[in-house]
Amino acid sequence: MDQLAEAVRPLLPATRPSTLAECRAAIDEIDTALAVLLEHRAALTEQVQRIKPVGGHAGRDLDREEEIVARMAELAPRLGADQLRRIVTAIIEASLDVAKH
Ligand SMILES: O=C(O)C(=O)C[C@]1(C(=O)O)C=C[C@@H](O)C=C1
């Protein structure tokens, strides 16, 4: 795991949860972090659209999106590039949908 990925290690449970309640509590913790991070990510996507000569869906950069997917696939091998591409595409499209530009 690279140095940036180390930043999320404290969010992970120290011991593997085993009961349904423990698993759901661990999932809730991670979903909390994901929601906060997604909110911040969407704000950054919006800011980028104001900087780019062509913003919004019309200005999509699929090479950049593929770079994002490839980097994330190294950190999340269980999901892999194909599943992460679905997730990244959904995040980016939702962020572009709500961006004001
Ligand atoms: O990096 C950009 O050019 C962006 O517009 C940001 C972003 C992203 O949210 O990561 C959004 C749309 C692009 O297709 C690629 C990446």
Side-chain angles (χ1 to χ4, degrees):
M1 234 183 246
D2 67 19
Q3 208 176 354
L4 279 176
E6 284 296 326
V8 301
R9 194 182 286 281
L11 297 171
L12 304 177
T15 54
R16 182 186 277 268
S18 53
T19 66
L20 175 61
E22 285 171 356
C23 288
R24 286 184 172 172
I27 286 172
D28 286 347
E29 288 278 322
I30 287 176
D31 287 347
T32 298
L34 284 175
V36 171
L37 292 172
L38 286 170
E39 179 73 7
H40 280 268
R41 194 192 192 289
L44 287 168
T45 297
E46 179 170 308
Q47 192 176 341
V48 171
Q49 306 321 302
R50 292 199 212 98
I51 295 167
K52 288 188 354 179
V54 179
H57 287 274
R60 272 180 87 172
D61 181 340
L62 299 183
D63 289 342
R64 168 65 180 151
E65 292 185 24
E66 203 50 42
E67 277 175 25
I68 293 169
V69 169
R71 181 167 172 277
M72 289 175 74
E74 285 188 18
L75 297 165
R78 185 190 304 266
L79 286 165
D82 287 348
Q83 297 303 329
L84 284 163
R85 192 173 297 106
R86 296 172 57 198
I87 294 167
V88 168
T89 299
I91 291 169
I92 287 176
E93 289 182 349
S95 301
L96 291 173
D97 282 350
V98 300
K100 297 171 195 72
H101 48 84

